Amino acid sequence: MKKKFIAGAGVTILIGVLFIFPVQVFTVSREGTVIDAFIYRDQINFSVQWKHSVEKEIWEEFFSIEGNDITMNSTRFKTFGAGVPSSAGTDTYVKDGWVYMVGINREIGEELAIRTGKDTNYQMKYHNDRLKLDAQTSYHIQTDKVSFSKAIFLMMR
């Protein structure tokens, strides 16, 4: 009887973890279809990099996610040019050939929309992973709380 109770409790806990226990995920969708997903706790960082369509130089923006909120923290680029402000955030400086603007801390919300250009070579970086984004395509980076089983399903796509 005791073994049946323990087995039943184990199954109940497993079901609870898989289908009820919520986890935080951020997903990358291409035109409405999830193409990548990541589970995170508390906070994560990622960046989006592309080649400026006029200046033809690399530009990279750095983001963090705390809870379900995406925030743009800083940016870096090679040269000032079309549409580039002379400063943003709390500090602007040059290091190793890059112009850095830090302390921007602009709240984006739960979703970041990206539309890639023809020759802009967009990519997203998360930890040591790089996700190349197709040209002339719409992407959405979103945060959400979902069941552990749904998170696993999203990550297996």
Side-chain angles (χ1 to χ4, degrees), residues 7-124:
V11 168
T12 302
I13 291 169
L14 180 62
I15 289 171
V17 167
L18 290 177
F19 297 102
I20 299 170
F21 181 71
V23 294
Q24 292 175 297
V25 296
F26 81 92
T27 58
V28 180
S29 300
R30 177 179 48 228
E31 298 180 343
T33 302
V34 173
I35 60 169
D36 216 341
F38 306 91
I39 294 175
Y40 66 95
R41 291 188 67 200
D42 303 324
Q43 180 182 358
I44 57 163
N45 299 304
F46 69 94
S47 70
V48 177
Q49 179 181 310
W50 69 94
K51 186 189 299 182
H52 192 282
S53 61
V54 175
E55 301 301 320
K56 305 298 185 201
E57 294 284 353
I58 300 297
W59 189 291
E60 188 168 17
E61 292 179 339
F62 298 89
F63 300 86
S64 63
I65 301 175
E66 289 188 46
N68 283 336
D69 296 321
I70 301 171
T71 301
M72 182 180 142
N73 299 312
S74 61
T75 187
R76 72 178 187 161
F77 50 91
K78 290 290 190 171
T79 61
F80 283 94
V84 179
S86 60
S87 67
T90 59
D91 194 15
T92 300
Y93 59 90
V94 177
K95 180 180 177 186
D96 299 327
W98 290 91
V99 177
Y100 286 84
M101 293 181 180
V102 299
I104 296 172
N105 302 326
R106 187 174 82 200
E107 293 184 24
I108 305 298
E110 295 181 2
E111 179 178 355
L112 172 65
I114 298 172
R115 174 71 183 170
T116 61
K118 183 178 179 183
D119 296 313
T120 52
N121 301 321
Y122 269 82
Q123 59 183 305
M124 182 180 151

